[in-house]
Amino acid sequence: MGDPVVHEVEPLRLSTLTTLRTGGAPERMLEATTSAELVDALTDVWSRGEEWFVLGGGSNLFIGDEPFEGTVIRVLTRGIDELPSPHDGRVRLRVQAGHGWDDLVAYAVEHGYAGLEAMSGIPGTVGAAPVQNIGAYGQEIQETLVEVELIDEATGKISVVSAADLGLGFRTSVLKHHYGSVPQRRAVILSVTVDLVVAGERVVRGEQLRRALGLDSDAPVPLGWVRERILATRASKGMLLDENDPDTHGVGSFFQNAIVPEVVARALPPECPRWPVSPDLDAVTVIPLAAYDGFVPPAKAEAPDVKVSAAWLIEQAGIRKGFKLPRSRASVSTKHALALTNRGGATAAEVSELARFIQSRVHAEFGLVLQPEPVLLGVEL
């Protein structure tokens, strides 16, 4: 096979490569512009036994102030391949891990492929999307994800893993981990395959998306119209990256919307926005033939869990848009209570202090502990 092709570059401060703008320079930095280069870079790092992590768009990382004692591999691969789908009226797209997520959404909408449009404007790369199981306005990547191609650290082998084997949950997967913890599977995604509907327009079903789009009818709407409205909505909340807007210098939603049992949601004020989490419609009761006596027990009427608005909880706990602690350069966005922002030169310690304060206020008022959405590296909350 020959020696690995490893492109080593001068390490940059991670604060210059992440949207929250925190983090020092790593000991070593590699760049990969093709899948083969990415495999070679990972193989090289693993053979050295170094600490490492891969960096895509840097939009979902909260990195500590101390320099990273290891290697950072920048994933700069790009490309979309169209593949036939086994299902009528659908198409599959295989996308390189370093491809911009919103570039993929724009491509899908432009070609009339439905299934990603509600996730327009989400920053970051395609390879990071399954790790986080990204979603917006009731749409998640797990709804269209078919499989990922990845390389395992333990074996160095490349394999194709189905979406069902990724342990996808609310903003998590078996591949997600925080600094100092071990994920269920230490592997790096090389490419992602999604299965989309070939349709230039769609009927919008989800309550969250219908509310965001202001729809009150079931008439189909063009995909391009949905994308434009979502982008405008995200921009109004400071959720579209803009170099000149400090409200976008963050990780988007810093806290996850809380998923709670229905009985807990009932104890919250009635004006708290909430959405039911879809129950498992495939659940069945199996009765052994030898035990069947003609009676089929009724299905258990279990109320589905409920997703409640973290932004509402934060504001009702007394944290207003634009709030910051004394002498801190970290602030809640002036446009959205769920976003923590770097107003210029804020340290990771300042952001952490603000995050912990918000968590404590929400817990004191409502008894709920908000969970961070970004991957944490060298920081604890």
Side-chain angles (χ1 to χ4, degrees):
M1 291 179 59
D3 295 330
V5 178
V6 178
H7 296 290
E8 186 164 351
V9 298
E10 183 69 24
L12 301 173
R13 288 186 60 84
L14 297 175
S15 59
T16 67
L17 300 175
T18 57
T19 55
L20 189 54
R21 305 187 175 196
T22 64
E27 290 181 339
R28 186 169 178 243
M29 182 171 285
L30 308 177
E31 291 184 349
T33 58
T34 68
S35 184
E37 290 177 2
L38 179 54
V39 169
D40 286 344
L42 290 164
T43 302
D44 176 75
V45 170
W46 293 340
S47 69
R48 296 167 179 258
E50 302 172 346
E51 289 290 329
W52 61 277
F53 74 86
V54 294
L55 177 65
S59 61
N60 195 47
L61 285 173
F62 178 23
I63 303 178
D65 296 314
E66 297 299 320
F68 179 71
E69 297 181 357
T71 299
V72 171
I73 303 170
R74 296 189 66 193
V75 184
L76 305 175
T77 59
R78 291 184 60 85
I80 300 175
D81 293 320
E82 294 199 13
L83 308 172
S85 171
H87 309 292
D88 291 338
R90 303 181 74 93
V91 65
R92 290 192 171 177
L93 303 180
R94 184 172 59 205
V95 192
Q96 295 301 304
H99 203 94
W101 171 261
D102 193 55
D103 292 338
L104 167 61
V105 178
Y107 177 94
V109 169
E110 180 182 350
H111 288 76
Y113 304 152
L116 305 178
E117 57 282 347
M119 294 181 281
S120 292
I122 294 179
T125 56
V126 171
V131 176
Q132 181 77 0
N133 188 21
I134 63 169
Y137 301 105
Q139 191 176 77
E140 293 182 327
I141 188 175
Q142 67 177 346
E143 298 167 8
T144 54
L145 182 65
V146 176
E147 61 194 20
V148 300
E149 180 186 28
L150 52 73
I151 178 170
D152 277 283
E153 180 182 17
T155 64
K157 292 183 177 180
I158 298 172
S159 60
V160 175
V161 179
S162 71
D165 294 325
L166 292 176
L168 297 171
F170 186 66
R171 303 298 174 266
T172 192
S173 71
V174 297
L175 301 174
K176 184 176 179 178
H177 69 286
H178 298 299
Y179 184 82
S181 67
V182 179
Q184 297 178 49
R185 184 166 188 170
R186 287 183 63 90
V188 174
I189 290 177
L190 305 176
S191 69
V192 172
T193 301
V194 293
D195 192 85
L196 306 176
V197 177
V198 179
E201 56 184 19
R202 58 170 290 199
V203 176
V204 177
R205 302 293 186 190
E207 178 186 348
Q208 281 183 274
L209 184 54
R210 289 179 64 85
R211 183 182 303 177
L213 298 175
L215 293 176
D216 55 9
S217 75
D218 290 332
V221 293
L223 300 181
W225 180 84
V226 174
R227 174 170 167 78
E228 290 175 3
R229 293 294 296 270
I230 291 297
L231 289 174
T233 299
R234 293 184 68 89
S236 69
K237 296 179 178 181
M239 294 292 183
L240 283 184
L241 296 178
D242 183 345
E243 180 66 27
N244 299 315
D245 184 359
D247 277 329
T248 70
H249 302 167
V251 291
S253 297
F254 191 91
F255 294 107
Q256 299 176 6
N257 286 323
I259 303 293
V260 301
E262 193 272 341
V263 65
V264 174
R266 273 193 278 117
L268 295 171
E271 60 270 23
C272 176
R274 66 199 71 197
W275 306 271
V277 177
S278 300
D280 181 6
L281 300 178
D282 295 326
V284 296
T285 300
V286 178
I287 304 174
L289 184 60
Y292 178 63
D293 60 2
F295 173 72
V296 178
K300 294 182 179 179
E302 295 182 357
D305 286 343
V306 176
K307 178 166 61 176
V308 299
S309 169
W312 187 92
L313 295 174
I314 290 170
E315 292 202 272
Q316 297 307 307
I319 309 295
R320 304 303 185 196
K321 298 181 183 72
F323 173 86
K324 66 177 182 177
L325 295 169
R327 298 178 298 280
S328 177
R329 292 165 292 184
S331 165
V332 176
S333 168
T334 64
K335 301 182 182 72
H336 199 301
L338 205 52
L340 305 191
T341 63
N342 189 330
R343 312 308 289 188
T347 64
E350 289 173 299
V351 177
S352 295
E353 183 182 28
L354 177 59
R356 285 193 295 267
F357 181 81
I358 293 172
Q359 285 178 314
S360 67
R361 291 297 307 136
V362 170
H363 184 261
E365 290 292 328
F366 301 106
L368 299 178
V369 178
L370 295 181
Q371 298 299 318
E373 188 159 309
V375 173
L376 310 181
L377 293 168
V379 291
E380 294 183 0
L381 296 182

